[in-house]
Amino acid sequence: MASVLNVKESKDSERTVVVAGLPVGLFIDQLLVILVKKHFQDIKNEGGDVEDVIYPTRTKGVAYVIFKEKKVAENVIRQKKHWLARKAGHTELTVSHFSDKIFSSVNAILDLSVFGNEVTLETLVKDLKKKIPTLSFSPLKPNGRITVEGSFLAVKRLKESLLVRASSFLEKNRNFTSEGRKWNRRNPQKNLQRSNNYLVSVRTLVPETARNGEMLVLDTDIFLYLKHRCEFYESTLKKFHILSEEKIDGEITTIYLKNFQVGSQPNNAKHVKELIEEWSHALHLELRKETFILKGKENREKRMIKSACEQLSSRYRGVLTSFYRTHIDIIGSSSDTYLFKKGVMKLIGQKVS
């Protein structure tokens, strides 16, 4: 199985694009490579000469396409829509710039315990695997937790699907509880205890904001940059009188939107959701992420790296610097992150790799 290292080791990463959304299990890998290569060589798709297609990779449904010319890669990315051949069911592809820190693959830990017993959960997982084959699922743990890995768009689709299911279960159980009060009068507390506990569990998964508003899922890095480096986010919420509730769960962030002002237009939350999705998609294509690893380094070297990052943060306002115990993430445009990294390396006396 090929990996991103094949591209990293090449000096021509600027000629490489990341292609996500490939149909998994529909064709043998060799045939899918031929279809991808044919698509990106077609001039109708702003394509050109393809040097290589790296597939399969460590992420299901994701391939790396290396063009012979940088200009062709740029043209392909500018093309808004890419649909694979009719043989592949006109599958829509997501094409973005290559980066060793590209936001193409994420991990998420999901708690499915609110959906029922172990037998029901096994059935649920099988259904999800069939529905979104591009995701990799770890074995289901006894506590109902499971780890999934795949493209951000696939994980986003999964989480949205689960939230819809949870909302549906909540409504069904609310009706069940209502009916239960009518015919379980002999010992209502005992008979409804399990149902009420279940409702509490589902409500933790689906906040009140989501049940009466709009919900969207973003890559956490994209969300943090949007919130802390783009005035658009807060100003848009304020302009349309929207209350937001944000839940960061590892590499995935879920945002719940709801009108908070009486008399506001009922479609305001939906409109703001669409605006945020458009903005985040643009950031997804533009941003690059670099990481300084602190784990395993001497305390003196850690302090030097932190100090250098703090010093440069005031100079590069467009770069988001996030400090963690084991590492430091910097997120910004390709040029800004490169110059930021170069500046840090210079300040600590190292050469830029």
Side-chain angles (χ1 to χ4, degrees), residues 122-306:
E122 290 289 355
T123 304
L124 174 61
V125 172
K126 287 181 181 178
D127 182 44
L128 293 173
K129 287 180 178 179
K130 185 177 180 180
K131 187 175 182 179
I132 313 178
T134 57
L135 288 174
S136 296
F137 292 78
S138 71
L140 181 66
K141 294 182 179 180
N143 62 2
R145 289 182 177 270
I146 191 170
T147 301
V148 295
E149 179 181 0
S151 70
F152 166 71
L153 292 177
V155 174
K156 173 184 176 181
R157 182 183 168 198
L158 171 67
K159 191 156 188 179
E160 289 174 342
S161 174
L162 288 174
L163 284 166
V164 169
R165 285 174 182 253
S167 296
S168 176
F169 283 176
L170 179 63
E171 190 61 34
K172 287 179 181 178
N173 276 268
R174 183 183 290 130
N175 294 336
F176 170 78
T177 303
S178 177
E179 290 297 320
R181 289 196 178 98
K182 296 177 182 177
W183 55 266
N184 283 329
R185 300 196 177 194
R186 292 183 180 178
N187 196 346
Q189 187 167 355
K190 182 177 179 181
N191 285 305
L192 296 177
Q193 183 177 8
R194 184 177 180 182
S195 175
N196 288 335
N197 288 341
Y198 180 84
L199 284 171
V200 171
S201 297
V202 177
R203 284 193 182 104
T204 62
L205 182 64
V206 187
E208 190 68 29
T209 317
R211 298 196 293 274
N212 298 288
E214 296 288 335
M215 181 273 295
L216 69 155
V217 181
L218 300 180
D219 178 289
T220 294
D221 289 322
I222 297 290
F223 164 70
L224 291 175
Y225 190 91
L226 181 65
K227 184 171 184 178
H228 299 293
R229 285 295 178 272
C230 301
E231 294 181 1
F232 157 84
Y233 185 72
E234 296 294 344
S235 63
T236 301
L237 294 176
K238 185 177 180 180
K239 178 180 178 181
F240 291 95
H241 310 292
I242 297 297
L243 175 68
S244 71
E245 182 178 346
E246 301 139 359
K247 292 183 66 176
I248 296 179
D249 182 19
E251 297 178 42
I252 296 291
T253 294
T254 307
I255 304 175
Y256 306 98
L257 304 171
K258 179 183 178 182
N259 290 330
F260 72 83
Q261 181 170 309
V262 179
S264 296
Q265 291 294 326
N267 290 329
N268 275 2
K270 184 177 181 180
H271 180 57
V272 170
K273 174 187 175 181
E274 293 171 351
L275 291 175
I276 293 175
E277 285 180 331
E278 289 179 9
W279 199 278
S280 63
H281 179 67
L283 291 177
H284 184 90
L285 299 176
E286 177 188 346
L287 297 179
R288 179 185 176 91
K289 176 180 172 183
E290 294 283 356
T291 300
F292 293 102
I293 303 298
L294 301 178
K295 189 175 181 180
K297 297 185 182 298
E298 297 291 334
N299 289 334
R300 180 175 176 276
E301 188 175 0
K302 290 181 182 179
R303 288 194 296 270
M304 288 176 63
I305 295 174
K306 289 181 179 179

Side-chain angles (χ1 to χ4, degrees), residues 292 308 312 340-353:
F292 293 102
L312 291 170
F340 192 103
K341 181 179 179 181
K342 185 178 179 181
V344 170
M345 292 301 192
K346 184 177 180 181
L347 287 172
I348 65 176
Q350 293 185 13
K351 292 183 179 180
V352 183
S353 56

Side-chain angles (χ1 to χ4, degrees), residues 57-108:
T57 63
R58 287 180 294 187
T59 304
K60 284 186 178 181
V62 172
Y64 300 100
V65 179
I66 307 174
F67 294 97
K68 290 186 177 181
E69 297 181 16
K70 174 184 174 182
K71 183 179 180 181
V72 177
E74 293 173 346
N75 291 340
V76 163
I77 291 169
R78 274 196 291 268
Q79 177 87 350
K80 291 186 177 180
K81 297 285 185 179
H82 283 278
W83 300 87
L84 206 52
R86 184 180 300 175
K87 292 181 181 179
H90 288 294
T91 304
E92 185 174 3
L93 305 175
T94 301
V95 183
S96 54
H97 287 283
F98 171 82
S99 164
D100 56 345
K101 297 294 181 181
I102 196 74
F103 306 112
S104 59
S105 178
V106 296
N107 289 287

Side-chain angles (χ1 to χ4, degrees), residues 221 224-225 228-229 288-292 294 305-324 327-332 336-337 340-341 344:
D221 289 322
L224 291 175
Y225 190 91
H228 299 293
R229 285 295 178 272
R288 179 185 176 91
K289 176 180 172 183
E290 294 283 356
T291 300
F292 293 102
L294 301 178
I305 295 174
K306 289 181 179 179
S307 176
C309 288
E310 290 170 351
Q311 185 176 334
L312 291 170
S313 292
S314 59
R315 187 186 308 173
Y316 294 94
R317 297 291 185 181
V319 173
L320 175 65
T321 310
S322 301
F323 296 86
Y324 302 97
H327 64 282
I328 300 173
D329 285 338
I330 57 171
I331 303 172
D336 280 351
T337 51
F340 192 103
K341 181 179 179 181
V344 170

